[in-house]
Amino acid sequence: MGKINKKNIINLILLILGCFLSAITFNILCAPQSYVTGGVTGIGVIFDYLFNIPVSKVLLIGNLLLLVVGIFVLGLKETAPSILGTIVYTLAIYITEGINSSLNINLNSVFLDVVVIGILFGVSSTMIYLAGYSSGGSDILALIFKEKFKIPMGKSLLIINAIILTLATFVFGIRMLVIALLIKFIESRLIDNFLIGISDSKVLFINTKCEEEVKEYIINKVKSGVSVVDVKSGYKNEKTSLLMCVVPTERYLKLKEEIIKIDKKAFITVLDSYEVYGGTNRYKLPLHDLRI
């Protein structure tokens, strides 16, 4: 129990630091120059420019509405993983909203803006990911589309952000769109290639006494296939079996933690997989769907 509590505390610290790093980056470098990178904050930038409504108010109202709709449509259990992340991120945006008026930071270079914002967003997103949370917002809407209309979350998020960026392009012009796409590219590459591994997928070999429970979790929660491999122990010369599954890199840490919760004595081997053909498409398992 002590270890679980310690892990929860570490995850909470990571969530808070990740949310505040993202919020500070947004309020110092994005909001003052009207950079829209999608999500509810992107809508906030548009509303701030057109109607002079602070981004924090738009984010608060928008996230509250999405949480209420999420709870009503999906139920509290499905929406719960997004609640804490949404609250922390919204508070972080509100607390740091006026920070640039005091610091007055301006990189005076679009190139530096793109690189610095992309890197800082990548680091903050990874911290939130490692904590096992989501910052909520459009993720909740994407989850509704996934559960009710069977549209994969990756595609739903792409559609939602495409709509927001299209609106922003009409308001701020094509220059903003190019900047936003470059920022998102750097952010996603940083997360994929440097912070959570250079391979797209991980192969897990699992030796566990709770085989059925682990299989059920992988199939029903991770939405991935799993194979049972018959093996013979070299030490005791006993016949046993291994579970083998392939999961997107961004999900394997969470999966490993859940396996250990099911069976503390499980033996797990993790390998990089640089190419996967067939099976579950990793792009249907998006980065932002963080809580499995």
Side-chain angles (χ1 to χ4, degrees), residues 266-281:
F267 182 79
I268 306 168
T269 303
V270 182
L271 304 174
D272 281 312
S273 174
Y274 293 93
E275 183 175 357
V276 176
Y277 180 79
T280 303
N281 189 335

Side-chain angles (χ1 to χ4, degrees), residues 22-268:
S22 179
I24 290 170
T25 302
F26 174 80
N27 281 321
I28 289 179
L29 298 175
C30 291
Q33 301 181 83
S34 298
Y35 292 158
V36 177
T37 57
V40 182
T41 51
I43 297 174
V45 172
I46 296 172
F47 273 60
D48 186 29
Y49 179 82
L50 293 178
F51 309 112
N52 201 30
I53 303 174
V55 175
S56 60
K57 289 187 177 179
V58 176
L59 189 65
L60 176 62
I61 295 171
N63 280 342
L64 281 176
L65 286 174
L66 287 171
L67 282 176
V68 171
V69 172
I71 292 171
F72 180 78
V73 175
L74 303 173
L76 181 60
K77 184 178 179 181
E78 290 295 326
T79 312
S82 299
I83 294 176
L84 183 57
T86 300
I87 292 172
V88 173
Y89 184 68
T90 304
L91 285 174
I93 288 288
Y94 178 79
I95 292 171
T96 61
E97 191 168 34
I99 191 171
N100 203 42
S101 60
S102 302
L103 298 178
N104 195 27
I105 295 175
N106 191 335
L107 299 179
N108 295 313
S109 167
V110 174
F111 174 77
L112 287 178
D113 283 343
V114 168
V115 173
V116 173
I117 293 170
I119 290 174
L120 293 178
F121 275 171
V123 172
S124 61
S125 295
T126 302
M127 293 171 74
I128 296 171
Y129 152 68
L130 289 174
Y133 289 93
S134 162
S135 57
S138 55
D139 295 351
I140 299 173
L141 191 58
L143 185 59
I144 293 174
F145 288 162
K146 174 187 173 185
E147 296 297 326
K148 296 301 177 182
F149 305 107
K150 307 305 178 184
I151 302 174
M153 278 197 68
K155 187 177 290 185
S156 298
L157 285 168
L158 181 63
I159 294 170
I160 293 166
N161 286 321
I163 292 171
I164 295 171
L165 288 177
T166 300
L167 292 173
T169 302
F170 281 110
V171 176
F172 300 111
I174 194 70
R175 176 177 176 272
M176 187 285 309
L177 176 62
V178 174
I179 290 172
L181 293 175
L182 289 173
I183 289 172
K184 297 306 288 185
F185 175 78
I186 293 174
E187 177 187 355
S188 62
R189 289 300 90 194
L190 184 69
I191 294 169
D192 285 345
N193 297 332
F194 297 105
L195 297 181
I196 58 174
I198 60 174
S199 62
D200 284 345
S201 305
K202 300 289 186 184
V203 180
L204 281 79
F205 292 96
I206 308 152
N207 189 317
T208 174
K209 298 294 185 182
C210 305
E211 186 176 298
E212 292 302 319
E213 291 179 64
V214 173
K215 279 200 305 185
E216 182 181 353
Y217 183 83
I218 294 171
I219 294 169
N220 296 327
K221 296 295 184 180
V222 184
K223 308 296 183 184
S224 179
V226 58
S227 299
V228 180
V229 183
D230 293 326
V231 296
K232 186 166 71 171
S233 169
Y235 179 67
K236 294 185 177 180
N237 207 30
E238 295 177 347
K239 289 186 178 181
T240 182
S241 60
L242 288 176
L243 299 180
M244 188 200 78
C245 66
V246 180
V247 296
T249 294
E250 59 266 20
R251 286 184 174 245
Y252 97 89
L253 283 176
K254 180 63 179 176
L255 173 57
K256 185 178 71 173
E257 289 179 3
E258 291 299 327
I259 293 171
I260 294 172
K261 286 181 183 178
I262 295 172
D263 180 6
K264 292 182 180 180
K265 295 183 179 180
F267 182 79
I268 306 168

